[in-house]
Amino acid sequence: MKSLFKSSILLAAVGLFALTSCEDDNESNPTIAQPTTFVLNEPAITGFVDMEKTPTITLTWSQPTPYNNFNAPVAPTYTVQVSPTGSFNKAFDESLEDNTGADFVNVNETYTSGKDVQINLQDLNRSLLQLLGWTESTVPDRLPLSVRVKSALREASFEEHAVIYSNVVTLNTVPYYVELKPADPEIWWLIGADIADGSWGGEWGKCVIPMQTIDGVEYDKSTGQGELTWTGYLGGNGFKLVLIPGKWDDQWGQNDDGYVKNDGGSGNITVPEPGIYTVTLNTATNTLKVEKSESTPPVFSIINIAGTFNEWGDTPMTPCSTGWENHDWYIKYNLAAGDKIKFKDNTSSWDYNRGGTFINREDGMYGYGTQGGSDLVIDQGGEYLIFFNDITGYYRFIKQ
């Protein structure tokens, strides 16, 4: 798509976007293409869109003239911003207790292109509810929203440079009231040559494994951010972390400076030798650790689910990792309300069995299994994708 803008600035060094003086400008200087704005298209919507009944809307915008870092293309990061007042003076920040003066919200997800971007209207409605402090009786019947897109170049430290904004378009909405509850913990997923089948694919269980929340750790009630962990076998072939399986907009990798987030050029995370490792990610502080464990957990040939649904028999789970030592398991299974379930090995002695209690999430349940723990009781029937880690005892049930 053709750029509408032709201004440029000079780069002082790789990764730094400082302006050089005009006196220093010559043909040998590397330059960065710097447009002044770009075009956000009017959404293809007639009338007012009901935010409760319409899951998403689609936005598209033009690609600004490519930024260049020493003549190599640099991809910008896009953020959709929404204002109920038409002003964009101060962004609402869910992590802050005082948001006095805030007049717009950033849509949570960031994007690397402006083609057919899906905006979740329920998430946007929740953000507006927090920004404006609606009660059940004060939610407006109609609300025109001003929408624009920010484009910026991000360093690994998340510092932004060369920020520009699109034009503003109007989105006419019908908002709704919903009782706010604490956000679910934000979960990241492991993917790579050391993970599951090693294919780098996006299929849950077969290709990617969820990280785990930690018993007793508190997570931010607004953002769900906090500390996550995973313990299992790494063979030294490399892996990464992604926020959404199948997407690479949010990822953790490794370069010469260590572990880095959202650096599109980062390499795989590797370990010096095969073994059992614990990966710890703090999504609030953006810190990552990969530490070798001296433990030697038992290696099971199979882990089963057992319960009232199979008369406490053995229904085998599928090992996530198929070419090396495995400690993560998954199964897709239909369970009825009131069913009881536990995890066990393949012996009749029940020497290894894990039970506990459920903690509810929006997409299902999770918990921390203990040896001989209580039967897990299914509250809501349906098909679940079930994960289990036989080292930590962590289980997660994702409603399908």
Side-chain angles (χ1 to χ4, degrees):
M1 191 172 292
K2 291 183 179 179
S3 171
L4 302 178
F5 313 99
K6 299 181 179 178
S7 59
S8 64
I9 61 174
L10 297 176
L11 285 174
V14 174
L16 296 177
F17 302 98
L19 295 175
T20 61
S21 70
C22 295
E23 295 177 353
D24 295 331
D25 193 14
N26 59 62
E27 292 183 357
S28 65
N29 286 140
T31 61
I32 179 169
Q34 174 62 35
T36 58
T37 187
F38 56 103
V39 177
L40 170 62
N41 299 318
E42 291 283 346
I45 295 173
T46 302
F48 283 78
V49 59
D50 190 324
M51 299 177 76
E52 184 174 14
K53 297 178 181 178
T54 307
T56 62
I57 61 164
T58 302
L59 295 180
T60 61
W61 54 84
S62 65
Q63 195 85 359
T65 299
Y67 301 92
N68 283 275
N69 182 0
F70 283 75
N71 299 319
V74 180
T77 297
Y78 300 105
T79 305
V80 177
Q81 300 180 328
V82 181
S83 170
T85 65
S87 300
F88 294 89
N89 297 313
K90 179 182 177 181
F92 177 81
D93 186 343
E94 291 185 352
S95 65
L96 301 178
E97 293 186 6
D98 185 5
N99 274 283
T100 303
D103 55 11
F104 74 93
V105 297
N106 290 311
V107 172
N108 289 334
E109 191 172 353
T110 57
Y111 308 93
T112 55
S113 108
K115 182 179 179 181
D116 297 331
V117 171
Q118 301 297 307
I119 304 300
N120 187 302
L121 290 184
Q122 283 76 31
D123 289 346
L124 177 57
N125 186 86
R126 177 180 177 274
S127 296
L128 292 171
L129 193 153
Q130 292 177 290
L131 170 66
L132 299 171
W134 289 330
T135 65
E136 194 167 4
S137 60
T138 61
V139 176
D141 294 331
R142 299 285 188 273
L143 183 65
L145 297 173
S146 297
V147 182
R148 73 178 185 183
V149 180
K150 179 178 74 172
S151 173
L153 301 183
R154 282 189 178 182
E155 295 184 7
S157 64
F158 293 95
E159 185 176 354
E160 294 184 337
H161 305 271
V163 176
I164 60 173
Y165 298 94
S166 75
N167 57 300
V168 176
V169 301
T170 299
L171 174 65
N172 292 313
T173 67
V174 178
Y176 66 99
Y177 177 77
V178 61
E179 192 71 33
L180 290 177
K181 62 178 183 178
D184 286 336
E186 177 186 294
I187 300 298
W188 285 65
W189 297 71
L190 299 109
I191 185 172
D194 272 346
I195 305 301
D197 65 358
S199 67
W200 294 91
E203 187 176 344
W204 298 9
K206 182 176 182 293
C207 308
V208 292
I209 303 172
M211 294 195 73
Q212 306 164 15
T213 55
I214 303 173
D215 193 11
V217 169
E218 292 189 5
Y219 296 85
D220 187 280
K221 291 181 172 58
S222 297
T223 65
Q225 294 178 338
E227 195 166 76
L228 305 173
T229 189
W230 172 82
T231 299
Y233 181 85
L234 295 175
N237 301 301
F239 71 97
K240 283 191 171 185
L241 305 178
V242 293
L243 179 59
I244 302 174
K247 293 188 176 182
W248 293 97
D249 292 343
D250 296 287
Q251 61 171 285
W252 277 88
Q254 187 174 17
N255 61 22
D256 292 340
D257 296 324
Y259 306 125
V260 290
K261 181 181 178 183
N262 292 348
D263 179 349
S266 66
N268 300 334
I269 300 169
T270 58
V271 295
E273 59 181 349
I276 299 296
Y277 286 82
T278 295
V279 179
T280 306
L281 172 65
N282 191 314
T283 59
T285 60
N286 282 316
T287 53
L288 177 64
K289 295 186 295 184
V290 182
E291 301 171 304
K292 195 170 191 301
S293 172
E294 300 304 320
S295 65
T296 54
V299 179
F300 296 100
S301 61
I302 197 68
I303 289 291
N304 299 285
I305 54 172
T308 54
F309 54 88
N310 64 357
E311 298 182 348
W312 296 101
D314 290 343
T315 298
M317 303 184 75
T318 300
C320 293
S321 299
T322 53
W324 46 86
E325 185 174 319
N326 177 70
H327 293 282
D328 287 278
W329 308 82
Y330 73 101
I331 187 173
K332 190 176 288 187
Y333 205 85
N334 203 304
L335 296 165
D339 275 347
K340 296 180 180 180
I341 182 172
K342 294 186 83 169
F343 301 90
K344 64 183 291 293
D345 63 7
N346 211 31
T347 66
S348 59
S349 65
W350 288 75
D351 285 344
Y352 178 94
N353 74 89
R354 295 292 187 268
T357 57
F358 280 129
I359 302 170
N360 290 323
R361 287 179 54 98
E362 186 174 345
D363 64 359
M365 307 87 71
Y366 67 97
Y368 312 97
T370 57
Q371 175 66 24
S374 302
D375 299 339
L376 296 164
V377 182
I378 302 299
D379 181 57
Q380 187 177 57
E383 187 177 50
Y384 289 90
L385 177 60
I386 304 170
F387 288 96
F388 179 71
N389 182 291
D390 63 40
I391 299 176
T392 64
Y394 177 89
Y395 46 82
R396 185 172 174 196
F397 288 58
I398 301 174
K399 193 79 178 292
Q400 301 297 285

